[in-house]
Amino acid sequence: MTLEFTRRQLLAAMAGAGIGASLPLRAESAMDNNGKRTRRKDSVGVALVGLGGYATHQLAPGLQLAEHCHLAGIVTGSPHKIPAWQEKHGIPDRNVYSYDDFDRIADNPDIQAVYIVTPNDLHMPLTLRAANAGKHVWCEKPMAMDAAEGQKMVDACRRNKVQLTIGYRLQHEPNTRRLMAMAREQPYGRILKIRADAGFNAYDDVDPAHKPWRRLPQHGGGAMYDMGVYSLNAARYTKGQEPVAVTARQEVRRPQLFDGVDETMRFTLEFADGSVAECATSFGEDMNTLRADCERGWYELSPFQTYDGLKGRTSDGQTFADAVPHQQARQMDDDALAILRGTAPLVPGEEGVRDMRVVDAIYASARDGGQRIVL
Ligand code: NDP
């Protein structure tokens, strides 16, 4: 394969992915005299639900940078957090809720979308409440504890005629979108094998008695729910097909820390054409690579799931590393535009359900090591 041919293929793939095509939608936003962005009249008002690490350090700053949505409200179970959030983001008292009085949000015209950023077990019940309140729902990954819960969320949003999107930020990210386009264009021939590993080494220095929700089964703890969905989602978008069968193996190196949840999960996805994806996720090993081996070459993104700095390279020496100013701002702007235009969101609830079906099969296989058909 010549380099020129590959470049042409990549450009076609980028066009197919909407890279570049979506840019004109992001008109230069107006700035006031102090250099602050002025809010568009049709900006979507968003309430963040759960003011933890991700909401504080990624989503709230992302909402400050976004053009088509803004932080309008907060829902929290921690009253001590409220004054600082109100002051920093100019949130009026009427837009502050607790989990107990959250349903009153139905009467609040300042808030059109609710972004759920809580422990995983709360994603489903909070989504149902937000949908019943008539608000669009943006929900973090993993969307739910299993596929049945995920389907309930999809159904509730459909019934209430609101959008449901899952916070798979990478599917909005340009280097990832290039890989998704390559799944369709196949510039190196058919994909034979994928490797998707996402994890980090953590918790070595923690007191085993202290159990945050990420290590508790009842809250949806464990590496698979947390980081494994990146490997799984990436394997699916890199192949551009759904797996038909799964085998999985769970490992626990530090049982004092991981009681009833997986510390490491290794799983193999099989696709209908005989190709496979070897995937891994862990709270005990650093890993961050996505690679596709094809008939006539290979390509990879490494890292593939950081907040910035994704780097791609191919077997014929090409490299790519498109910058995006802020992944979460991009994601939320895309989702806000889908609401404003009444178009289908890029990552709808159904995409989360497809992952949860495989997650169900992974956990089932990990129990006895047997292969599971993905239903
Ligand atoms: P944190 O533990 O930092 O925050 C979770 C927040 O949820 C808490 O601060 C709390 O907010 C609220 N909460 C409500 N009930 C509980 C409870 N029983 N126990 C603990 N917290 C509770 O988690 P993260 O922010 O890291 O993760 C939240 C979600 O975001 C998860 O689903 C995670 O998978 C996802 N995530 C996604 C990322 C991505 O890149 N897409 C990255 C990081 C996380 P309050 O006190 O305000 O009620």
Side-chain angles (χ1 to χ4, degrees), residues 179-198:
L179 246 68
M180 294 167 88
M182 287 166 84
R184 292 193 295 274
E185 306 290 334
Q186 305 201 347
Y188 299 89
R190 197 164 65 85
I191 296 173
L192 305 174
K193 187 174 173 192
I194 290 168
R195 169 137 220 120
D197 296 343

Side-chain angles (χ1 to χ4, degrees), residues 50-55 75-78 81 99 117-120 122-123 140-142 167 169 213-214 219 226 230 307 328:
L51 308 179
Y54 194 53
V75 182
T76 178
S78 305
K81 296 180 183 172
Y99 300 108
V117 209
T118 60
N120 304 331
L122 297 174
H123 292 181
E140 258 318 314
K141 46 54 58 177
R169 58 187 159 78
W213 68 265
R214 270 191 174 79
H219 291 300
D226 194 51
Y230 286 109
Y307 294 146
Q328 289 81 2

Side-chain angles (χ1 to χ4, degrees), residues 3 6 16 28 42 60 68 108 129 139 173 212 255 258 315 330 346 364:
L3 185 59
T6 307
E28 281 299 308
D42 59 355
H68 301 281
N108 191 328
R129 289 171 69 185
C139 179
E173 193 276 339
F258 297 93
S315 50
R330 164 71 61 98
L346 204 56

Side-chain angles (χ1 to χ4, degrees), residues 47-61:
L48 286 175
V49 184
L51 308 179
Y54 194 53
T56 304
H57 301 299
Q58 302 301 328
L59 298 181

Side-chain angles (χ1 to χ4, degrees), residues 29 70 81 90 118-119 137 140 150 162 169 194 210 231 241 268 296 333 350 352 363 365:
S29 60
H70 62 277
K81 296 180 183 172
T118 60
V137 184
E140 258 318 314
V162 294
R169 58 187 159 78
I194 290 168
H210 173 62
S231 308
Q241 289 176 20
T268 304
R296 297 189 296 279
D333 263 344
E350 287 82 354
Y363 280 125
S365 172

